[in-house]
Amino acid sequence: MTPSKTPAEIITIDDVDVRVSSPDKIVFPGPGVTKLDLVRYYLAVAEGALRGAGGRPMVLKRFPKGIDSEPFFQKRVPENHPPFIDTATLRYSSGTSAEEAVIRDAPGLAWVVNLGCLDLNPHPVRAEDLDHPDELRIDLDPMPGVDWSQIVDVAYVAREVLDDVGLVGWPKTSGSRGLHILVRISPQWDYRQLRLAAETLAREVENRAPGLATARWWKEERGESVFVDFNQNAKDRTVASAYSVRPLPDARVSTPLTWDEVASARPEQFTVLTVPRRFEAMGDPHAGIDDAVGRLDGLLALAAELGPAEKAPRGGDGSGRRKSTMPLIEIARTKTKPEALDALETWKQRHKEVVPDLHPADVLVDGMRGSSSLWYRVRLNLQHVGEDMRPAQEDLIADYDPWAGKEWPGRPGG
């Protein structure tokens, strides 16, 4: 968020005073949305936003330097948090733990926005039971070259699979290019079972829509398809919840939809400026989600029927590392996405002769989670380049080390 000297403003929400620093600070220059505008947006949709994120521990994804700079991820709640912010301590298999923020009301929404949070990133558990998730989450993530109509087709296939196993899916735009489908479940299963159920759903969608959808773990193997991403169903993973504002120039919002809307809706329709009017006119399409609690028995039975998912081959050098079946080369590792794209352009200038053979899905620019922020890895899949024309692996154009200066047991590269 851009610097500003505007005095702080105190707003009273349900008899609670919340301080908003630099209220006139411009967060989204295009539509002219200020920090105070964001607070007012979340208050206007508070019922829906709290239905998605309320009562759940959340990671604070903060944008102190604005939407054009990388955010940092803060698991631990600030020590000076106000009394209306609850906390819950999550413990991970690595032996680490984090006391995370839990918001339960509209003042809590205003408080996280004041910290520089745009989207809300809750875990799929309630603060009262941290070991048993009550939500299964599927992210329909399109590969480059995939248009919206294909995402829609895959969404309806996913709905069909859910119907067949007795579950109800609730769709929403991701706020970027894809769709999320949320499923409320009884909190009787652990994370391992949740992830197995989600992976099984993804595999069955791929079976019913081959070529349109994929459950392949490795990005270079997906082609121009919609990845039914089941990986978000892990203890350390979060997704942007309903009514979250995403860091795109148009202040786009991750917006709940009815199934009738999925075919005609477009992500760009839903922004900070348009969603409050929609919410006032029609309410929250996910208002019934907490009354549609299902069980994982059907998906877990299907998992047994399908058998174990195919595993990636391992290298023969004794390292135990996975060996790709695709002709991959790595271009760069960078701190920011613009640096990653610049490195990609540098490589393309060096190898102009093969650029026309690259398909959109062959260019892999991935945001990778570091200790507290994202870093970027650039790779190319040369599967569509003739073997005699494929450039060899070269020295990385940029070689950023996100772990430099950090030491702990099990450190990557350590």
Side-chain angles (χ1 to χ4, degrees):
M1 298 182 182
T2 53
S4 172
K5 295 182 180 179
T6 309
E9 185 166 332
I10 304 297
I11 57 175
T12 302
I13 309 165
D14 299 335
D15 297 325
V16 176
D17 290 339
V18 180
R19 180 179 183 273
V20 180
S21 60
S22 302
D24 293 336
K25 185 184 295 184
I26 299 295
V27 183
F28 292 93
V33 174
T34 66
K35 190 177 183 181
L36 186 58
D37 290 334
L38 282 178
V39 172
R40 288 172 174 159
Y41 159 78
Y42 271 110
L43 296 180
V45 299
E47 179 188 348
L50 291 168
R51 186 173 287 114
R56 302 177 182 277
M58 67 165 56
V59 174
L60 302 175
K61 182 181 175 185
R62 302 175 65 173
F63 290 82
K65 297 181 180 179
I67 62 171
D68 294 327
S69 298
E70 296 297 325
F72 73 90
F73 297 88
Q74 181 176 341
K75 287 186 176 181
R76 290 171 176 80
V77 65
E79 291 185 3
N80 60 344
H81 62 273
F84 55 83
I85 298 297
D86 283 346
T87 66
T89 301
L90 277 72
R91 304 185 188 280
Y92 299 99
S93 57
S94 63
T96 61
S97 64
E99 185 182 10
E100 297 190 7
V102 179
I103 62 171
R104 298 187 182 275
D105 50 28
L109 288 171
W111 179 78
V112 296
V113 173
N114 184 59
L115 290 179
C117 297
L118 301 181
D119 43 17
L120 310 175
N121 290 269
H123 292 272
V125 292
R126 304 284 180 175
E128 293 74 21
D129 186 352
L130 300 176
D131 295 319
H132 299 96
D134 73 330
E135 187 169 82
L136 182 150
R137 300 166 172 179
I138 291 295
D139 179 5
L140 301 184
D141 184 13
M143 292 292 288
V146 172
D147 62 24
W148 182 254
S149 63
Q150 186 170 331
I151 303 170
V152 169
D153 289 342
V154 173
Y156 283 116
V157 174
R159 183 192 190 190
E160 179 183 86
V161 175
L162 289 169
D163 286 345
D164 288 347
V165 295
L167 294 171
V168 180
W170 299 80
K172 69 181 182 73
T173 63
S174 70
S176 182
R177 296 182 60 233
L179 273 171
H180 294 163
I181 301 176
L182 308 178
V183 182
R184 284 286 198 271
I185 59 170
S186 177
Q188 298 176 235
W189 293 270
D190 60 24
Y191 274 101
R192 181 188 61 81
Q193 293 166 309
L194 176 73
R195 189 181 183 284
L196 175 60
E199 183 180 23
T200 301
L201 171 64
R203 292 173 66 193
E204 182 62 14
V205 172
E206 180 182 30
N207 290 341
R208 299 189 188 190
L212 291 180
T214 180
R216 299 252 172 196
W217 175 283
W218 305 110
K219 191 171 182 180
E220 68 271 15
E221 298 177 358
R222 297 173 192 164
E224 293 182 5
S225 61
V226 176
F227 177 43
V228 187
D229 188 356
F230 52 89
N231 297 309
Q232 310 303 335
N233 296 278
K235 192 169 187 176
D236 60 345
R237 302 296 291 271
T238 62
V239 296
S241 59
Y243 297 99
S244 286
V245 181
R246 306 310 304 274
L248 296 177
D250 57 359
R252 198 171 298 186
V253 170
S254 178
T255 305
L257 305 173
T258 67
W259 278 107
D260 289 341
E261 290 181 298
V262 168
S264 59
R266 294 294 183 274
E268 61 271 17
Q269 294 175 239
F270 307 111
T271 71
V272 167
L273 302 182
T274 64
V275 168
R277 292 195 298 270
R278 168 186 165 88
F279 192 88
E280 183 179 11
M282 68 178 292
D284 181 13
H286 285 192
I289 191 171
D290 290 318
D291 298 322
V293 178
R295 297 179 57 85
L296 292 183
D297 303 85
L299 282 175
L300 295 176
L302 181 59
E305 180 182 329
L306 293 178
E310 182 181 357
K311 301 299 181 183
R314 296 291 170 179
D317 58 2
S319 68
R321 293 179 180 174
R322 172 229 176 213
K323 179 182 179 182
S324 177
T325 59
M326 295 293 179
L328 285 178
I329 59 173
E330 188 171 7
I331 303 302
R333 300 180 182 190
T334 66
K335 185 175 182 179
T336 68
K337 190 169 185 177
E339 291 172 322
L341 297 178
D342 286 346
L344 176 62
E345 286 305 312
T346 297
W347 187 92
K348 286 182 176 181
Q349 289 300 315
R350 291 180 185 174
H351 302 282
K352 294 180 181 180
E353 70 282 359
V354 303
V355 171
D357 294 330
L358 296 174
H359 291 201
D362 293 337
V363 179
L364 310 173
V365 180
D366 301 314
M368 312 290 288
R369 183 70 69 89
S371 59
S372 62
S373 61
L374 293 178
W375 59 279
Y376 292 85
R377 180 178 64 179
V378 186
R379 297 174 298 157
L380 291 175
N381 186 350
L382 302 179
Q383 62 180 326
H384 295 110
V385 179
E387 289 190 32
D388 58 336
M389 294 283 291
R390 290 174 184 169
Q393 176 68 55
E394 302 168 342
D395 291 340
L396 298 182
I397 293 172
D399 191 5
Y400 170 68
D401 180 3
W403 316 109
K406 299 180 175 67
E407 295 292 340
W408 64 88
R411 170 193 182 278

